[in-house]
Amino acid sequence: MAGTEFSIRDLLLNTIEPPRNDWQLEEVLELYALPFNDLLYRAHQILRAWHDPNRVQVCTLLSIKTGACPEDCAYCPQSGHYDTDIEPERLLSLEEVEQTAAAARAGGASRFCMGAAWRNPTDRHLDHVVEMIRVVREAGLETCMTLGMLTQAQAQRLRTAGLDYYNHNLDTSPEFYGSIITTRTYQDRLDTLEHVREAGIRVCCGGIIGMGESREDRAGLLQQLACLPRHPESVPINMLIRIKGTPLYDAEKLDPFEFVRTLAVARIMMPKSFVRLSAGRDDMNEQTQALCFFAGANSVFYGDTLLTAGNPAPEKDRLLFSRLGIEADRLTASRAPGQA
Ligand code: SAM
Ligand code: DTB
Ligand code: SF4
C-alpha cells in the first residue's frame, strides 16, 4: 500500500471502535435499519481500516464424502431425509484429494476446504482425514475441513495433523434454528466451536440467509457470531440455494439488498474477520456481487462447484475481479490482522 493510504488507514483506525463481543440485538437491528447508503459507507470504512479493500481471499471446496447424511437440515441436498438428485458417494481416496488440491493450487486458490456429509466423523474416518490434511498441506494450500460435530479429542487430533481452519456454521438464530434442523441442537454447534477454538484451530463460522427467517433472525445469527469469545477468523454468509427435493425448495426469494445489508452488518460487527460471500453467487448478478465487495465481503468460494451445487466458473470470476480491479490473493489469509 502507498504511504498516504497507510495514514488514511491509521486515521480510520483511530476513529473506529475496536472489535466488540457484547452486541445487543437492538444495536444490530439499528444497523440493519440504516439507510442503505449510510450502512454501506460505514461498513466500507471499516473494511478499509482493517483490510485491503481490493483483495479477495479465495477458497476452493471439495466434497470428500457426499450425500446420505443422517441429519435433517432443511436446506441441504445431502440430507438422507430428502429425495434430491444427489448420488451418495463413499469417502474419496487420498489420490483423488491430492489431484484436486494440486489443480486448485494451480488455479490460484489459497485455501482448500474439504466437506463431508457426516453428523460427526468417527475415529476411523479421522485416520483417513489426517492423511488428506497432509497431502493438501504438501500441495502448498491452507487446510480447512467441515465434517460435522467434533469432540475435544478429535479437534486436537486435527490440529496435531496441521489443520488450519474448521468450518462449522451456526446457520441461523437460536429462535429460528428449530424450524430448520431437528437432529442436532444449537448448543451442540456451540460446543463443537468451543472444541475447535480450544484445540487452537482457526474458526470458520457463519450461516445461511434467505430460508424464510425474519430480519430479527438474521440479526440474531450475527449477534451470536459476534458475541463468541473470539470472532471467527472467517465468516461465510451463504445465500440459500433452493434445491429441488429439500423442504426449503419453495422458500421465498430474498431481496438482494437485504443480503448486501447482512454482509455490511457482519463487516461492522466483526471488523477483522474475513467475511465470505459464499453459496448463492451463481444466482447473483455481477452488480450485486460488486455491492457485496463494497459492503465488506473479502473472501469467496472459487471453482465451479461448491460441495454439490454450482458456483460461477473460474473464468467468469477472473473476469469479474479484473473488471472491478480486485486481486484474488492466495496469501491474504495467512496475513490476516490478529491471526496467529
Ligand atoms: N455436514 C457438515 C455440517 O453440516 O456441519 C459439513 C458440510 S455442510 C454441507 C456445510 C454448510 O453448507 C452448512 O452448514 C450450510 O451452512 C451450507 N449449506 C448447505 N446447503 C446449502 C444450501 N442449499 N444453500 C446454502 N448453504 C448451504
Ligand atoms: C459454507 O458456509 N458454505 C460452504 C462451506 N461452508 C462448506 C458449503 C455451501 C454448500 C452449498 C450446497 C452444496 O454445494 O451442496
Ligand atoms: Fe448433513 Fe451437513 Fe447437510 Fe446438515 S448440512 S444434512 S449435517 S451435510
Side-chain angles (χ1 to χ4, degrees):
M1 253 191 234
T4 47
E5 281 175 75
F6 260 126
S7 57
I8 291 170
R9 182 172 185 267
D10 289 344
L11 195 74
L12 284 171
L13 277 173
N14 284 334
T15 54
I16 277 169
E17 287 180 50
R20 291 169 45 197
N21 302 71
D22 61 351
W23 288 90
Q24 303 299 306
L25 191 64
E26 296 67 38
E27 293 178 281
V28 188
L29 287 168
E30 275 168 27
L31 288 175
Y32 261 104
L34 284 172
F36 191 73
N37 285 341
D38 292 351
L39 175 61
L40 260 64
Y41 178 67
R42 203 163 147 187
H44 189 74
Q45 276 186 308
I46 290 177
L47 173 72
R48 280 188 175 265
W50 293 100
H51 305 268
D52 182 334
N54 300 310
R55 282 209 164 164
V56 163
Q57 182 259 333
V58 295
C59 176
T60 292
L61 281 167
L62 174 66
S63 179
I64 56 169
K65 190 269 164 188
T66 304
C69 182
E71 302 281 48
D72 68 353
C73 312
Y75 47 76
C76 187
Q78 302 198 67
S79 167
H81 294 254
Y82 316 123
D83 188 10
T84 66
D85 292 337
I86 298 298
E87 275 303 317
E89 283 171 23
R90 293 166 60 93
L91 187 61
L92 293 187
S93 70
L94 198 56
E95 292 68 36
E96 284 168 300
V97 173
E98 201 167 8
Q99 281 164 16
T100 318
R105 168 78 188 173
S110 60
R111 192 179 306 166
F112 194 68
C113 178
M114 292 162 270
W118 289 324
R119 173 174 165 77
N120 55 268
T122 63
D123 292 343
R124 286 224 14 223
H125 289 143
L126 286 196
D127 295 341
H128 297 286
V129 156
V130 296
E131 284 301 299
M132 293 178 179
I133 296 172
R134 182 177 59 74
V135 297
V136 173
R137 282 170 68 89
E138 282 170 8
L141 288 157
E142 288 188 314
T143 50
C144 177
M145 290 206 146
T146 178
L147 314 172
M149 294 187 284
L150 294 182
T151 64
Q152 186 62 67
Q154 289 179 321
Q156 196 52 59
R157 188 166 174 211
L158 290 172
R159 178 63 204 137
T160 306
L163 185 68
D164 297 305
Y165 290 82
Y166 195 78
N167 168 240
H168 197 67
N169 290 340
L170 289 176
D171 278 347
T172 190
S173 68
E175 294 75 20
F176 191 64
Y177 183 87
S179 45
I180 301 296
I181 300 144
T182 70
T183 47
R184 84 170 74 148
T185 66
Y186 213 77
Q187 189 57 47
D188 288 332
R189 291 185 184 248
L190 291 168
D191 291 346
T192 291
L193 291 171
E194 195 179 317
H195 297 154
V196 170
R197 259 293 171 234
E198 284 280 301
I201 301 173
R202 294 175 200 174
V203 172
C204 171
C205 181
I208 311 181
I209 306 301
M211 299 191 290
E213 76 286 343
S214 63
R215 177 179 275 186
E216 201 155 302
D217 291 313
R218 293 187 274 280
L221 164 68
L222 296 181
Q223 183 194 22
Q224 288 290 324
L225 294 169
C227 293
L228 289 169
R230 272 180 69 189
H231 293 169
E233 280 79 7
S234 288
V235 180
I237 304 291
N238 298 278
M239 173 76 111
L240 175 73
I241 304 178
R242 294 170 299 167
I243 310 240
K244 201 160 143 251
T246 63
L248 291 181
Y249 181 52
D250 293 326
E252 202 182 317
K253 213 168 177 196
L254 187 78
D255 176 1
F257 292 135
E258 183 69 6
F259 185 76
V260 178
R261 277 182 188 275
T262 302
L263 288 169
V265 177
R267 168 53 63 219
I268 294 169
M269 295 173 73
M270 293 168 279
K272 292 162 75 174
S273 305
F274 277 74
V275 175
R276 184 173 308 132
L277 163 56
S278 302
R281 281 200 305 124
D282 213 16
D283 274 341
M284 228 173 261
N285 67 31
E286 292 169 328
Q287 294 76 6
T288 303
Q289 292 186 59
L291 273 180
C292 290
F293 295 130
F294 187 82
N298 59 350
S299 173
V300 291
F301 286 121
Y302 180 71
D304 43 26
T305 321
L306 294 162
L307 289 172
T308 67
N311 199 43
E315 312 81 78
K316 205 172 158 194
D317 272 347
R318 282 198 295 269
L319 184 61
L320 175 63
F321 294 153
S322 129
R323 287 168 70 202
L324 299 177
I326 284 177
E327 205 177 312
D329 182 5
R330 63 166 93 215
L331 297 173
T332 308
S334 45
R335 284 193 262 114
Q339 285 188 351

